[in-house]
Amino acid sequence: MMSPRTGQIAHALLIDLAAILFIAYAVFYRRHRRADMLLAYVAVNVGIFCVGILIVEEMRIGVAFGFGLFAILSIIRLRSDPIAPEESAYYFIALVLGLINGMQFRDAWLITVLDVAIVGVMALLDNRFVLPRTRRQMVTLDVVHPDETSLRNDLADRLNGRVLHMIVKQVDYVRDVTVVDVRFRPRSGTRPTAGDTLPWLDRRQAGSLDAYVGPDQP
């Protein structure tokens, strides 16, 4: 027969899974289309949940524990491919949800309120109505433009979108090469980029591949 404590843990786990699955799939994946990150967020969340349960049961919580948990994000950034700031934010949310649900499993009302608050804030902020979708790509052009206006117009034409911000990283007059870090908003009906059609490419590599088109090509 299930003990009261086991029932509380199981109930907290169900709440935790419901929250992280909604965050990871309904909010993150449907907007950013990074299926590979779904598993990472759920794994981090469930792992932190289990650690929180064990720590509460042992009743050994120190200051170092808090620093160690939030150092996980630094380890992720140092030991893996660079990730976008919004992806780091979702790592942080996955960690916080697991921590709350694991360490407060005896108070179902409290964790439900906190989970709903976190999920609601993320769903409210990360959507196309509040924050319209933008893309960032490292673009390599085989042409050097004489001024910023012509460069901006060229990028807008190649990327089929509105250029919001751009930083020229490199200009090579010998080889006629310009490297630009550009953030843009695609126009409606934009054709798929290399990152959409070639999912095995890294997002940054796909951006360079998609944008490396000569001026004499259609």
Side-chain angles (χ1 to χ4, degrees):
M1 185 176 180
M2 183 181 297
S3 65
R5 183 182 62 180
T6 304
Q8 290 174 337
I9 294 176
H11 185 256
L13 179 59
L14 290 176
I15 296 175
D16 180 64
L17 289 176
I20 190 59
L21 289 176
F22 185 88
I23 283 285
Y25 180 78
V27 180
F28 175 81
Y29 175 74
R30 294 187 63 183
R31 178 168 172 81
H32 302 282
R33 297 296 176 182
R34 290 293 305 275
D36 55 325
M37 302 299 293
L38 286 177
L39 177 61
Y41 294 146
V42 175
V44 168
N45 173 263
V46 174
I48 294 297
F49 176 87
C50 295
V51 170
I53 292 290
L54 294 176
I55 290 177
V56 170
E57 290 299 299
E58 292 293 331
M59 296 302 293
R60 296 174 183 173
I61 304 176
V63 176
F65 169 71
F67 286 106
L69 282 179
F70 292 100
I72 292 177
L73 289 177
S74 299
I75 295 174
I76 292 173
R77 293 185 66 89
L78 290 174
R79 292 297 184 178
S80 62
D81 293 333
I83 59 178
E86 62 269 18
E87 294 166 355
S88 297
Y90 278 93
Y91 267 120
F92 180 77
I93 292 298
L95 186 151
V96 170
L97 285 174
L99 188 63
I100 290 173
N101 294 307
M103 300 191 67
Q104 296 293 330
F105 67 89
R106 295 187 180 91
D107 193 338
W109 171 252
L110 176 62
I111 62 176
T112 301
V113 170
L114 293 176
D115 285 3
V116 169
I118 293 173
V119 170
V121 169
M122 295 302 295
L124 179 64
L125 293 180
D126 194 8
N127 64 78
R128 62 188 180 91
F129 299 105
V130 178
L131 297 175
R133 176 173 303 201
T134 61
R135 295 181 183 176
R136 178 187 177 190
Q137 290 186 352
M138 190 68 70
V139 180
T140 302
L141 302 173
D142 58 353
V143 61
V144 177
H145 290 278
D147 53 61
E148 180 179 334
T149 301
S150 61
L151 174 59
R152 181 180 295 271
N153 292 336
D154 187 15
L155 289 171
D157 183 59
R158 293 172 186 268
L159 298 172
N160 193 19
R162 177 189 174 192
V163 176
L164 303 176
H165 183 67
M166 62 181 186
I167 300 176
V168 177
K169 294 290 187 180
Q170 179 182 350
V171 176
D172 190 329
Y173 288 98
V174 176
R175 297 182 299 161
D176 279 340
V177 172
T178 306
V179 180
V180 187
D181 183 355
V182 56
R183 187 171 293 275
F184 66 101
R185 181 174 301 154
R187 299 191 182 100
S188 58
T190 300
R191 63 176 176 82
T193 64
D196 299 323
T197 57
L198 302 177
W200 59 84
L201 287 177
D202 178 80
R203 177 182 290 179
R204 290 157 296 280
Q205 295 171 338
S208 297
L209 176 64
D210 186 66
Y212 193 82
V213 180
D216 54 351
Q217 296 187 16

